[in-house]
Amino acid sequence: MKKILFVFIALISVLAMSSCNDKTRCVGQWVSEKMTGDDANGNMYLTLRENGHSTLTVKGSVDTESDGISMNVTFTVEVDGTWDASMGLLDLDFSSDNIRYSIDKIDAGDEDVNALIRIALTDLDTKKEMMKEFEKEMDIDNLSGSQSLQIDFKDNNTMLLTSDDGDPVVFHRM
């Protein structure tokens, strides 16, 4: 019986130490390598604080068309939540109540059109409509919820996070 108890305590100690190690290594500010796809590109910034709070910021741009006008829209999306790490998994939990987003710049490639866009955005109803369209296009609500990601460290400054789909995202410590 003592042997089984000893093995059980040793197993719990190993799990606790690896859990602490994952947490300690994860704490900090991280930036992803540039991500591209479907006329969009950008970076993710992940802040993991010692107190279990986290912030995910996505800064990017997307090429889109509206009323026959091609535009490049740069944006920022930020969501707060919590995190935990143990046994090689990073658990993130983000709430839809904590999502903030903005359109940082719209470039239609023509200064006259850009001036008209800026004028249109001074109208509150037009701006609200554009933000609703942006929210729908970017599927903002999809950022909320829980997700477990596999953590692999190349070194203390490079972390790979892999979701269930198997595509790893490389993050570098800032």
Side-chain angles (χ1 to χ4, degrees):
M1 183 69 170
K2 284 184 180 182
K3 197 180 241 185
I4 292 173
L5 185 60
F6 178 75
V7 170
F8 182 70
I9 290 172
L11 181 61
I12 288 176
S13 298
V14 168
L15 290 175
M17 286 189 300
S18 70
S19 173
C20 179
N21 189 30
D22 285 346
K23 281 185 176 182
T24 303
R25 291 180 83 181
C26 289
V27 170
Q29 295 179 317
W30 300 87
V31 60
S32 72
E33 292 183 347
K34 190 156 197 107
M35 300 176 3
T36 60
D38 296 339
D39 299 325
N41 64 67
N43 294 85
M44 290 189 291
Y45 299 83
L46 184 60
T47 301
L48 303 172
R49 294 176 195 84
E50 287 181 24
N51 64 4
H53 292 283
S54 63
T55 302
L56 173 66
T57 304
V58 179
K59 290 182 178 255
S61 68
V62 62
D63 293 322
T64 188
E65 187 175 312
S66 178
D67 297 327
I69 299 173
S70 295
M71 295 179 276
N72 179 270
V73 178
T74 59
F75 61 88
T76 302
V77 178
E78 190 172 84
V79 61
D80 294 325
T82 59
W83 74 279
D84 193 18
S86 64
M87 296 186 285
L89 293 175
L90 175 65
D91 296 315
L92 296 169
D93 189 16
F94 296 114
S95 169
S96 61
D97 296 338
N98 295 321
I99 298 175
R100 297 167 301 284
Y101 56 92
S102 64
I103 296 175
D104 302 325
K105 182 180 176 185
I106 299 174
D107 185 4
D110 181 293
E111 282 308 310
D112 293 334
V113 175
N114 288 345
L116 289 172
I117 291 170
R118 283 191 297 276
I119 290 169
L121 289 176
T122 60
D123 177 59
L124 227 62
D125 291 334
T126 303
K127 190 171 186 172
K128 282 182 185 177
E129 188 62 35
M130 180 174 260
M131 293 306 281
K132 282 182 190 175
E133 196 60 36
F134 175 76
E135 185 176 319
K136 189 172 93 180
E137 181 80 21
M138 296 304 295
D139 200 12
I140 297 294
D141 288 332
N142 226 7
L143 286 176
S144 64
S146 298
Q147 187 170 18
S148 284
L149 305 166
Q150 181 72 39
I151 310 170
D152 292 307
F153 290 96
K154 284 186 171 180
D155 54 47
N156 284 332
N157 296 314
T158 306
M159 172 173 67
L160 279 76
L161 297 179
T162 307
S163 63
D164 290 337
D165 65 12
D167 293 328
V169 178
V170 178
F171 283 83
H172 299 282
R173 193 176 295 277
M174 293 176 50

